[in-house]
Amino acid sequence: MTKPKRKRISLALQGGGALGAYTWGALDRLLEDERIEIAAISGSSAGAMCAVVVADGFEEGGAEGARKQLRQFWEGVAKAGESNPYRRTPMMAFLNAFKPGWAQESYLALWADVATRIASPYDFNPLNVNPLKEVLEELVDFERVRKCKHIELFIGATNVETGRVRIFSNGELTADHVMASACLPQLFHAVEIDGEPYWDGGFTGNPALFPLFDVKATRDIVIVQINPVEREGAPHTSVEITARVNEITFNNSLLSELRAIDFVARLMDESRLPEGRYRKMLIHNLSETQALTPLGLGVDLNTDLSFFNTLFDTGRGAAERWLGEHFDALGQRSTVDLVAMFHDAPKSGEAKPLR
């Protein structure tokens, strides 16, 4: 009996430090599903790391190779986090920089937090120590990534001088490009690419959706979202205020692109755009809002493997539910209601606003 044709999707992976382990779990479940083909991945920061790890593993050993490679990466991050204090501190700082409450339970982390407030990384990290780059270089064969034929990659970084996003694709990728995408300026030196300095891609595209518009044979973009868009109530403590400011900042570019997608879709529905020149993209959101939202406020996000495994299980469970509820919609309709998000009150039915 002939197997049904796989549904091709593009993935958009948000950055978010240690919460990227949630993305690991979601990817693990999607790679396990033989009904799905991942055609392209756009990612920033932790999402960029997951993207190159998946592409490398898939090129070498298919879906199982990608799953194995992802586990090795996150186990490697946890192991690097157990290293001597000097290496551990920038590791912890990066993984928790989006959620400032991490400093409350660790003297080392507290030192790093204070240091980033009174000095630049050119002062307190003069050698630009970055354990994440070591983990990535030990695991990923970037020559294989550059030659990858199965998955298109789009890695976003922010040009410090122009303030614009730059997208790096398969054929040019090195560890430096990925670290540029994950370069938080409070912690690490700007990464120079072709003589130009770059910071974290999350500032200008978390993740960038526009590179996925031209991916062949699919209109479906599945966003693996780990930064909540909505959060009830106004924060009051300094930790909560800073955390919410970060969430708003790192979601702003995503919301702007979704608004543009909605605008084009409405123009197409009204036959106000030339036929054949534009495509109506189908937007989906793979998030576990209830489980992830509390983690953004004052929780110590650490490098312990047990913590990563908990997030992994949460991501797998979210992907399992998403597949059960929305697989049939792939190729047919969006499951994120952009109209409700930007124009109307939330409607009943399958499509829901992005949370």
Side-chain angles (χ1 to χ4, degrees), residues 216-277:
K216 295 179 181 178
T218 182
R219 293 185 296 147
D220 292 283
I221 298 176
V222 180
I223 302 167
V224 181
Q225 180 197 359
I226 54 182
N227 297 294
V229 172
E230 296 184 5
R231 188 183 289 280
E232 291 186 6
H236 293 92
T237 70
S238 61
V239 166
E240 292 172 344
I241 291 169
T242 305
R244 187 58 182 147
V245 167
N246 285 343
E247 286 176 345
I248 292 171
T249 300
F250 283 93
N251 275 321
N252 184 57
S253 59
L254 173 63
L255 292 176
S256 295
E257 286 202 81
L258 289 173
R259 186 181 289 275
I261 290 171
D262 171 61
F263 178 66
V264 169
R266 286 187 290 114
L267 291 180
M268 292 183 71
D269 288 341
E270 297 166 6
S271 300
R272 295 169 62 187
L273 287 178
E275 189 143 348
R277 291 186 60 186

Side-chain angles (χ1 to χ4, degrees), residues 8-9 215-219 279:
R8 286 169 58 89
I9 64 172
V215 175
K216 295 179 181 178
T218 182
R219 293 185 296 147
R279 293 199 300 167

Side-chain angles (χ1 to χ4, degrees), residues 57-308:
F58 196 96
E59 193 71 9
E60 182 182 28
E64 286 305 309
R67 294 176 67 199
K68 179 181 177 182
Q69 194 93 318
L70 277 168
R71 177 165 290 280
Q72 289 178 336
F73 172 73
W74 284 99
E75 288 177 348
V77 171
K79 185 176 181 181
E82 297 171 355
S83 300
N84 67 67
Y86 188 67
R87 292 181 77 247
R88 177 175 171 79
T89 299
M91 173 69 78
M92 293 176 65
F94 171 78
L95 290 175
N96 300 287
F98 294 93
K99 317 292 180 238
W102 58 271
Q104 294 177 347
E105 298 179 18
S106 168
Y107 291 112
L108 282 173
L110 180 60
W111 173 86
D113 183 48
V114 172
T116 60
R117 293 174 189 272
I118 63 175
S120 88
Y122 296 87
D123 299 320
F124 68 78
N125 187 10
L127 299 179
N128 202 26
V129 174
N130 194 331
L132 284 164
K133 184 177 182 181
E134 298 171 23
V135 173
L136 205 62
E137 288 181 324
E138 288 176 6
L139 181 65
V140 174
D141 183 339
F142 278 93
E143 183 176 355
R144 186 161 55 215
V145 171
R146 289 190 291 274
K147 295 178 180 178
C148 180
K149 294 181 175 60
H150 294 93
I151 299 176
E152 292 184 70
L153 293 180
F154 304 100
I155 303 303
T158 300
N159 186 304
V160 179
E161 296 177 337
T162 67
R164 297 187 178 95
V165 66
R166 178 172 173 182
I167 302 299
F168 302 107
S169 56
N170 298 63
E172 58 190 325
L173 288 177
T174 66
D176 283 338
H177 294 86
V178 181
M179 299 322 297
S181 180
C183 179
L184 290 169
Q186 300 89 347
L187 304 170
F188 303 112
H189 303 189
V191 178
E192 284 204 7
I193 306 290
D194 299 330
E196 298 184 320
Y198 288 90
W199 283 343
D200 196 292
F203 293 120
T204 49
N206 193 26
L209 301 184
F210 69 88
L212 303 174
F213 296 169
D214 294 325
V215 175
K216 295 179 181 178
T218 182
R219 293 185 296 147
D220 292 283
I221 298 176
V222 180
I223 302 167
V224 181
Q225 180 197 359
I226 54 182
N227 297 294
V229 172
E230 296 184 5
R231 188 183 289 280
E232 291 186 6
H236 293 92
T237 70
S238 61
V239 166
E240 292 172 344
I241 291 169
T242 305
R244 187 58 182 147
V245 167
N246 285 343
E247 286 176 345
I248 292 171
T249 300
F250 283 93
N251 275 321
N252 184 57
S253 59
L254 173 63
L255 292 176
S256 295
E257 286 202 81
L258 289 173
R259 186 181 289 275
I261 290 171
D262 171 61
F263 178 66
V264 169
R266 286 187 290 114
L267 291 180
M268 292 183 71
D269 288 341
E270 297 166 6
S271 300
R272 295 169 62 187
L273 287 178
E275 189 143 348
R277 291 186 60 186
Y278 298 89
R279 293 199 300 167
K280 183 185 290 187
M281 305 308 295
L282 307 180
I283 306 300
H284 314 276
N285 177 35
L286 203 168
S287 179
E288 187 61 71
T289 303
Q290 281 190 325
L292 293 181
T293 299
L295 296 180
L297 299 178
V299 176
D300 182 19
L301 305 185
N302 52 59
T303 60
D304 291 342
L305 184 58
S306 61
F307 180 73
F308 291 162

